[in-house]
Amino acid sequence: MIDLSSAVLVLTGAMAAGKSTVAQRLAERLPRAAHVRGDLFRRMIVSGCQEFTPEEADEAAAQLRLRYQLSAATADGYARAGFTAVVQDVILGPAWANYLDLVTARPRFAVVLVPRPEVIHRREQGRAKQGYGDWTVESLDSAVRDDTPRLGLWLDNSDQTPDETVDEILANLSEARLPD
């Protein structure tokens, strides 16, 4: 198996793709790991938070870029301290390549979860949190499949348990590894 110490593994996909659960389970399986939840950086804004919507207001886009910068810097900090940083966030479209460039730690790994839209709908109904707002499952699925650069390992985890998805990620780390 590839050595993941001092590495950053970034996990993305649409909301309800399984990112949080898979990232947590992956971090739990590693000997020394931190789970960096990108959405925490959005929630740290106490006043003046602008939600990112399909209209892409300038302030909302600036806050999203700040969130990405902070989570990448945090992941790098954990990696410098000898931890594997497992980052999970919704990072779609051209932002995917931009985010991966923000990560300075080496090695870097990237995983995109792409369950079928009907599976996301079903998962969304069973979630306590509702995160879509102005976004639809279909619009986010299109942003993943059509607009996101094909970097890293892409997994259709529609028919997998979270542990099976973690198994597949660990078995395919060479495909998930990004060039140094």
Side-chain angles (χ1 to χ4, degrees):
M1 183 163 119
I2 294 174
D3 180 17
L4 289 176
S5 60
S6 300
V8 174
L9 188 147
V10 185
L11 187 65
T12 194
M15 289 176 238
K19 297 177 304 299
S20 299
T21 304
V22 169
Q24 183 67 30
R25 299 241 177 120
L26 178 59
E28 289 170 353
R29 287 218 206 156
L30 301 172
R32 207 162 176 240
H35 180 179
V36 180
R37 296 164 174 87
D39 192 50
L40 287 177
F41 296 96
R42 176 188 60 84
R43 291 185 294 175
M44 286 181 185
I45 298 175
V46 174
S47 60
C49 182
Q50 295 285 314
E51 297 295 333
F52 192 75
T53 65
E55 288 78 40
E56 289 191 49
D58 290 341
E59 178 61 19
Q63 289 182 20
L64 184 63
R65 283 190 303 275
L66 176 61
R67 165 181 162 174
Y68 291 161
Q69 291 164 357
L70 292 170
S71 72
T74 299
D76 283 337
Y78 279 114
R80 278 193 306 276
F83 289 88
T84 304
V86 180
V87 179
Q88 57 89 184
D89 204 347
V90 177
I91 312 166
L92 307 176
W96 181 232
N98 295 337
Y99 184 91
L100 297 172
D101 286 342
L102 291 173
V103 176
T104 61
R106 299 295 185 268
R108 300 170 304 158
F109 300 84
V111 177
V112 182
L113 299 180
V114 285
R116 296 182 304 274
E118 65 271 15
V119 172
I120 292 178
H121 275 291
R122 187 174 66 245
R123 289 178 182 172
E124 185 66 18
Q125 291 172 349
R127 287 170 22 129
K129 59 183 178 180
Q130 300 294 311
Y132 280 91
D134 292 341
W135 298 93
T136 65
V137 170
E138 291 73 23
S139 66
L140 283 175
D141 183 66
S142 175
V144 173
R145 294 176 193 277
D146 302 333
D147 302 331
T148 303
R150 296 278 172 179
L151 301 169
L153 175 65
W154 285 56
L155 291 179
D156 179 350
N157 61 329
S158 297
D159 301 317
Q160 294 177 325
T161 66
D163 287 321
E164 290 169 336
T165 302
V166 171
D167 289 342
E168 189 163 350
I169 291 168
L170 292 172
N172 292 286
L173 284 173
S174 60
E175 191 176 337
R177 188 171 184 162
L178 300 172
D180 292 339

